[in-house]
Amino acid sequence: MRAETRSGRLVSIALAAAALACATIGWSAVAYGLTIDIGGTVFADKCAPCHGNVAKTPDTFPVKFSHGNHITYACSSCHTQFPHRPEGTLKMDMKQCFNCHALVHGPQGVLATGKCYDCHYSTGKPLRPAFHTEDWAETPHVQPARDELTTKCAMCHTLKQCDDCHIKTGVQWKPPVPFLYDAGTGCQACHGSPNLVRTTSTGVKSFQVTGLERSAHRDLSCQKCHPDFAYAEVKPATPLWNVNAGLACAECHDHDAQAKKYAESVHAKEIAKGNLRSATCGSCHRGHDIQRLDTKEASEALHASAESMCGTCHQDYWDSYSDYYHGAAYKRGAKDAPACWDCHDAHDVKAAGDPASPVDPANLPETCARCHQHKDSSESFVRASRDLIHKKVAVRQNNGLLRLVGSILGGRD
């Protein structure tokens, strides 16, 4: 669920129309010059001039509903678009209610009631959508169930209901995917709010999700990366949701070569050992604000991201990456200076002590030849300069001549 970000059109309401509209909803203030912004993000200050008493619900509502019960949530949680428009008022879709209702959210359990008659008035007849024809239990529901099992069927139905009916009719059926309702990006009803915070032992932690509108994944549902959000029906890869999300990329991306390399990397092996602080796809490529790499700007941004991609975990190596031609040049923004993965590789990164590592002394000449001409990647050249990459300070301290030059230059290169 994404709030609209298009620039709002301003519609000036004539005095008579404004007075009539406000009188209808019980606003007694004189609305001279009232202007309503019908675009952009929906927030309380836009609604308050006419909806001052939000706890009051019109008697014409076809469901049992109270704004008062929802007063702690942002207006945009339900009204993703400004509802009052020149062509009429946009009505709420039940799908938006199910962003919270009947939602099992981890250890918190069910966030809000999912029982039909807690919200719908009883008419004496079973509640059913108009497209559920009288013979719906026969063949008409088969194809929709295949196409919309999690996006529509699971909104109202449970797996037990399906099983009970199938058993009676002798039908053998197993859902092809976990039977959990997929609300699309409806999680943003709560996670889009900057007020979604929690006090932890390390301070106030925000659970607001930002960057989706610019993300390469902006059209995906949240469940595509968070299949274990309900802690049910799905056996997670690890006990941590953020690690599971970081490993979920392979479910959609057909990057077999990269996936195979990652499986042999030190990062994947550490995850397998139970070290859940090790890197996943999401650790390096990021998540909600992940960018496409099909433009020059995006590729350059990726090349410049070594500190956030590698340095957050390997702070000591990032700090020591300071030699003049490599680290210092990279940190100054040189586009031809090597990023960490240019030497250490990316998906199949190996531990420094692994003989297969590209930075193992035996492999360094070949690794350096990726950028340097062959004569500059000879064993003698590599042997003389390899320690400068991450150990420049120690090398200078151990070299009398360099130490003298450094003292004369005041520590400058």
Side-chain angles (χ1 to χ4, degrees):
M1 180 182 298
R2 299 192 299 275
E4 285 194 8
T5 57
R6 293 187 293 271
S7 60
R9 293 174 295 157
L10 297 180
V11 177
S12 296
I13 309 296
L15 177 60
L20 176 61
C22 294
T24 301
I25 61 173
W27 186 49
S28 59
V30 179
Y32 291 105
L34 178 65
T35 299
I36 298 179
D37 180 0
I38 65 170
T41 305
V42 178
F43 52 89
D45 287 349
K46 283 186 179 180
C47 308
C50 290
H51 297 279
N53 182 9
V54 295
K56 183 178 180 180
T57 304
D59 297 332
T60 56
F61 266 37
V63 294
K64 306 171 190 176
F65 174 81
S66 169
H67 270 111
N69 291 342
H70 298 78
I71 199 169
T72 57
Y73 304 104
C75 302
S76 58
S77 296
C78 299
H79 298 285
T80 58
Q81 303 179 50
F82 197 81
H84 303 301
R85 296 173 173 270
E87 62 272 21
T89 299
L90 297 177
K91 294 184 179 180
M92 292 291 300
D93 191 306
M94 191 174 74
K95 181 176 181 179
Q96 289 163 260
C97 302
F98 272 74
N99 290 335
C100 298
H101 285 274
L103 175 67
V104 180
H105 193 2
Q108 301 173 80
V110 179
L111 294 187
T113 178
K115 296 180 180 179
C116 303
Y117 292 107
D118 285 345
C119 296
H120 290 275
Y121 293 106
S122 176
T123 61
K125 297 180 179 180
L127 289 170
R128 57 191 299 156
F131 62 88
H132 278 35
T133 56
E134 290 300 323
D135 63 342
W136 188 254
E138 303 299 329
T139 56
H141 82 288
V142 175
Q143 193 58 47
R146 290 172 178 166
D147 299 337
E148 304 166 331
L149 181 64
T150 59
T151 56
K152 281 190 177 180
C153 306
M155 179 191 291
C156 301
H157 295 283
T158 64
L159 181 58
K160 183 179 183 305
Q161 289 174 321
C162 299
D163 288 341
D164 287 346
C165 185
H166 288 150
I167 290 173
K168 291 178 183 178
T169 55
V171 174
Q172 296 291 326
W173 176 80
K174 183 179 180 181
V177 293
F179 200 90
L180 292 170
Y181 176 57
D182 185 344
T185 53
C187 303
Q188 286 298 86
C190 291
H191 286 279
S193 172
N195 299 321
L196 190 65
V197 297
R198 186 177 71 182
T199 302
T200 68
S201 58
T202 57
V204 177
K205 183 177 180 179
S206 172
F207 288 87
Q208 181 188 18
V209 172
T210 60
L212 281 176
E213 66 278 2
R214 301 181 303 276
S215 170
H217 293 158
R218 58 185 173 273
D219 295 323
L220 296 183
S221 70
C222 301
Q223 279 192 322
K224 293 296 184 183
C225 299
H226 300 282
D228 60 338
F229 77 99
Y231 292 14
E233 296 287 337
V234 177
K235 181 176 177 57
T238 77
L240 297 182
W241 63 267
N242 56 320
V243 176
N244 299 333
L247 294 170
C249 307
E251 296 299 321
C252 293
H253 288 280
D254 187 19
H255 297 329
D256 293 341
Q258 290 89 336
K260 184 178 180 180
K261 288 181 178 180
Y262 173 77
E264 296 298 321
S265 73
V266 64
H267 294 139
K269 290 177 179 179
E270 286 297 309
I271 291 284
K273 291 178 183 178
N275 177 13
L276 301 184
R277 295 174 62 88
S278 186
T280 64
C281 308
S283 304
C284 299
H285 292 283
R286 304 178 65 86
H288 299 119
D289 57 350
I290 189 171
Q291 301 295 299
R292 299 181 66 91
L293 294 179
D294 53 2
T295 66
K296 180 181 178 181
E297 291 76 11
S299 295
E300 290 178 350
L302 175 67
H303 177 263
S305 64
E307 182 175 13
S308 61
M309 191 176 292
C310 305
T312 51
C313 292
H314 303 286
Q315 187 68 51
D316 52 343
Y317 283 100
W318 170 254
D319 291 342
S320 65
Y321 187 41
S322 57
D323 72 302
Y324 183 81
Y325 292 105
H326 299 85
Y330 180 85
K331 292 177 181 179
R332 287 196 299 268
K335 295 179 181 180
D336 59 346
C340 306
W341 48 90
D342 288 320
C343 299
H344 293 273
D345 288 344
H347 298 103
D348 56 346
V349 61
K350 301 289 194 297
D354 190 327
S357 169
V359 296
D360 183 81
N363 301 325
L364 270 176
E366 182 179 350
T367 301
C368 295
R370 297 173 183 176
C371 298
H372 294 273
Q373 295 180 2
H374 183 70
K375 65 179 181 180
D376 290 334
S377 61
S378 62
E379 290 187 17
S380 58
F381 170 80
V382 169
R383 189 166 50 251
S385 53
R386 67 188 182 195
D387 286 343
L388 289 172
I389 306 298
H390 284 288
K391 300 177 181 179
K392 187 189 74 172
V393 174
V395 169
R396 291 177 68 92
Q397 290 299 317
N398 294 330
N399 187 299
L401 178 59
L402 291 178
R403 191 167 59 248
L404 175 62
V405 172
S407 64
I408 296 174
L409 297 177
R412 292 176 295 169
D413 288 327

